[in-house]
Amino acid sequence: MELLNYLGQFADQSTRLETASKFACLLNAKELIIFLKDPELNIFLPGIGFPQTLPEGRKWQMFLKGGADVVFDGHVPYGNATSPAAAVRSGTEAIAVLIGGCPTEKDLTLLGQLLGIIAPLLRQEHRVLLAESRATHNAKLVDKAERFTMTLDTIRQNLMEVIEDNTSLLLLTKEQNEELAAANEELRASNEEVMAGIEELNTANQKLLRINADLDNFIYTASHDLKAPISNIEGLVSMLTTRLSGKALEDCTTKQIIGMINTSVFRFKKTLLDLTEIIRVE
């Protein structure tokens, strides 16, 4: 009956750590922490409601990687001292660790039964929390993307107006040159130099039209290409802010993820820089 009461109390996140301590005492230990394997980082992280920052995280990970289903006589840093610890596994996805005390084999068997029931609950909570976090970041990034797209549309409209003005100027210039050529036919020799200048102006205007068209295509493409690095940033930042803090940043896997974030940010900044430079030049 006492075990059933503890199982019911584990469903409440606000009292989960207190319930875990009571259950640890029942199993002749001082503390109980349940770890879940993160499928993306491929390491064990404390479940929701348990301390997310543990002293000397690397030693904890070495302890959790023990090959046996039950690890006896292990020692890990906890609090201000090193304490004995025993771990019980549930498949390859969850581990329950008893810290301090002298749990018996019967105690560990009971802990394994508890872990088989609680691990799915913790994993479901983790999925929900991760989904909510990603949804929030998604909404923010979509809002930023929409505002950026509106800005690009405004720039595009302005460029189209410039193109229209240049086209009108080109037509007006052609009409004036035709009138000048008709009135000064007897001066064709001298007008050839003028016509050469007009042809050069026509070439420049055609080039400007092509540049403006290319810039139009570039702006349209850039507004879509920017979504790829933004999506990368979304996933990586979500993982970092949800799971990591303190000395966990020294983990080599964490450094790799930070490197990925830096790459995505670099791509995002470079795209914006190129777009700004082209607009400035044109």
Side-chain angles (χ1 to χ4, degrees):
M1 179 61 73
E2 191 172 9
L3 176 60
L4 293 177
N5 291 334
Y6 286 138
L7 289 175
Q9 294 173 12
F10 263 105
D12 188 350
Q13 295 183 17
S14 63
T15 60
R16 183 167 295 162
L17 187 59
E18 180 181 354
T19 302
S21 297
K22 293 179 180 178
F23 192 78
C25 292
L26 182 65
L27 299 179
N28 300 307
K30 295 181 179 180
E31 295 292 343
L32 168 64
I33 300 178
I34 297 178
F35 293 80
L36 300 178
K37 190 170 186 179
D38 188 291
E40 297 178 0
L41 299 178
N42 196 30
I43 59 175
F44 285 96
L45 298 176
I48 298 174
F50 294 95
Q52 295 297 303
T53 301
L54 299 176
E56 299 191 47
R58 186 170 300 178
K59 290 185 179 180
W60 275 99
Q61 289 301 322
M62 292 177 61
F63 176 78
L64 296 178
K65 289 180 180 178
D69 290 337
V70 179
V71 181
F72 293 98
D73 300 327
H75 287 78
V76 292
Y78 192 81
N80 297 323
T82 298
S83 301
V88 176
R89 297 177 182 271
S90 175
T92 60
E93 302 300 323
I95 294 180
V97 178
L98 286 174
I99 302 171
C102 300
T104 64
E105 184 175 352
K106 182 180 179 181
D107 294 331
L108 295 174
T109 300
L110 181 60
L111 177 60
Q113 296 173 353
L114 173 72
L115 181 61
I117 298 174
I118 292 181
L121 170 65
L122 296 180
R123 185 163 297 281
Q124 180 61 28
E125 289 179 353
H126 177 76
R127 292 193 187 100
V128 171
L129 182 63
L130 183 59
E132 291 176 351
S133 177
R134 288 180 174 175
T136 300
H137 282 285
N138 246 345
K140 292 181 180 179
L141 292 175
V142 167
D143 181 62
K144 290 181 180 179
E146 289 177 351
R147 292 199 301 268
F148 186 72
T149 300
M150 293 176 61
T151 301
L152 292 178
D153 288 340
T154 302
I155 295 174
R156 180 177 180 273
Q157 183 62 35
N158 293 337
L159 290 175
M160 291 300 297
E161 293 176 359
V162 172
I163 291 174
E164 291 177 358
D165 292 341
N166 288 338
T167 302
S168 300
L169 179 61
L170 177 59
L171 294 175
L172 179 61
T173 302
K174 286 183 177 180
E175 293 176 359
Q176 292 175 346
N177 287 336
E178 289 174 357
E179 293 176 0
L180 180 62
N184 297 286
E185 187 174 356
E186 67 280 6
L187 301 176
R188 185 178 300 275
S190 59
N191 283 340
E192 288 179 355
E193 183 176 344
V194 176
M195 291 304 296
I198 294 174
E199 289 298 325
E200 183 176 354
L201 178 59
N202 291 340
T203 301
N205 282 328
Q206 292 297 328
K207 182 178 180 180
L208 179 59
L209 289 175
R210 290 194 300 270
I211 291 175
N212 285 331
D214 291 342
L215 183 57
D216 185 21
N217 293 333
F218 171 79
I219 292 174
Y220 178 80
T221 302
S223 67
H224 290 79
D225 289 345
L226 286 176
K227 293 181 180 179
I230 290 176
S231 297
N232 289 338
I233 293 174
E234 168 204 354
L236 296 174
V237 171
S238 175
M239 286 188 292
L240 287 175
T241 56
T242 303
R243 303 181 181 89
L244 300 178
S245 62
K247 294 185 179 180
L249 291 173
E250 297 177 2
D251 188 84
C252 60
T253 303
T254 303
K255 293 181 180 179
Q256 182 180 2
I257 292 178
I258 293 176
M260 294 170 63
I261 293 176
N262 291 333
T263 300
S264 297
V265 172
F266 175 77
R267 290 175 55 197
F268 178 73
K269 289 183 178 179
K270 186 176 185 302
T271 302
L272 288 179
L273 181 62
D274 291 343
L275 177 60
T276 303
E277 182 65 16
I278 289 176
I279 295 175
R280 185 189 68 79
V281 173
E282 291 304 320

